[in-house]
């Protein structure tokens, strides 16, 4: 007759599966956000300016290419559509135009007609913070 007892080990371990899931979700989130922020920037040849500052947080990025087409977030829009987008930004900021900042990126080969009309439209909506994007020379 065998009188040995089986020893059962009761150790409490930490389950790290939820933590790994959260890390992967955060990784996917940051990769997606970085790619979305790059879609707002069309490939344009910007004018160069020494001593320019890096771009700060903006509400809306408007691109104007060489042909004078207005492109926002990869979509070609008319001036009235941009006014509608700015109106939506104003609504989300409580109607305060001081909180809305628009960055206008203009190809250096473009004419001034479309940017001037855009700035007039923005001024008519009360937007005073309009920044013109430039490229810092190396």
């Amino acid at each position: 007759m065998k009188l040995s007892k089986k020893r059962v080990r009761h150790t409490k371990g930490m389950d790290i599966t939820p933590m790994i899931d959260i890390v992967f979700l955060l990784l996917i989130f940051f990769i997606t956000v970085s790619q979305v922020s790059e879609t707002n920037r069309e490939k344009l040849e910007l004018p160069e300016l020494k001593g320019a500052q890096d771009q700060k947080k903006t509400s809306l990025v408007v691109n104007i290419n060489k042909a004078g087409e207005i492109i926002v977030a990869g979509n070609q829009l008319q001036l009235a559509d941009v006014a509608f987008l700015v109106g939506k930004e104003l609504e989300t900021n409580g109607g305060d135009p001081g909180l809305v900042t628009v960055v206008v990126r203009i190809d250096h080969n473009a004419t001034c007609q479309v940017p001037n009309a855009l700035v007039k439209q923005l001024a008519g909506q009360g937007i005073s913070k309009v920044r013109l994007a430039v490229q810092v020379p190396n």
Side-chain angles (χ1 to χ4, degrees):
M1 184 165 146
K2 195 172 187 183
L3 296 175
S4 67
K5 293 183 181 179
K6 290 185 180 179
R7 292 185 182 179
V8 180
R9 295 179 120 186
H10 294 288
T11 58
K12 297 214 176 211
M14 188 170 119
D15 186 20
I16 62 169
T17 305
M19 185 170 37
I20 292 172
D21 290 344
I22 290 174
V23 169
F24 280 125
L25 286 174
L26 286 172
L27 183 66
I28 291 169
F29 171 75
F30 286 119
I31 289 172
T32 305
V33 168
S34 69
Q35 289 177 353
V36 168
S37 65
E38 288 299 316
T39 61
N40 289 336
R41 298 181 182 199
E42 293 290 316
K43 297 207 183 280
L44 301 174
E45 290 184 45
L46 299 175
E48 292 185 357
L49 180 66
K50 289 186 177 183
Q53 298 176 350
D54 283 340
Q55 198 169 323
K56 296 179 182 174
K57 185 177 183 247
T58 61
S59 301
L60 186 64
V61 178
V62 179
N63 301 291
I64 300 175
N65 63 13
K66 189 183 335 182
E69 299 168 336
I70 300 173
I71 302 170
V72 178
N75 299 321
Q76 184 176 347
L77 302 175
Q78 299 297 321
L79 194 57
D81 299 328
V82 175
F84 178 72
L85 287 175
V86 171
K88 284 173 57 176
E89 282 295 324
L90 281 170
E91 286 178 15
T92 58
N93 289 314
D96 185 9
L99 298 176
V100 177
T101 303
V102 178
V103 171
V104 181
R105 301 180 74 242
I106 308 165
D107 190 292
H108 81 281
N109 293 321
T111 62
C112 294
Q113 294 171 342
V114 176
N116 286 342
L118 177 66
V119 172
K120 279 184 183 180
Q121 176 69 37
L122 294 172
Q125 289 180 287
I127 307 296
S128 60
K129 293 182 182 178
V130 178
R131 296 181 180 206
L132 299 178
V134 295
Q135 184 167 346
V136 178
N138 295 330

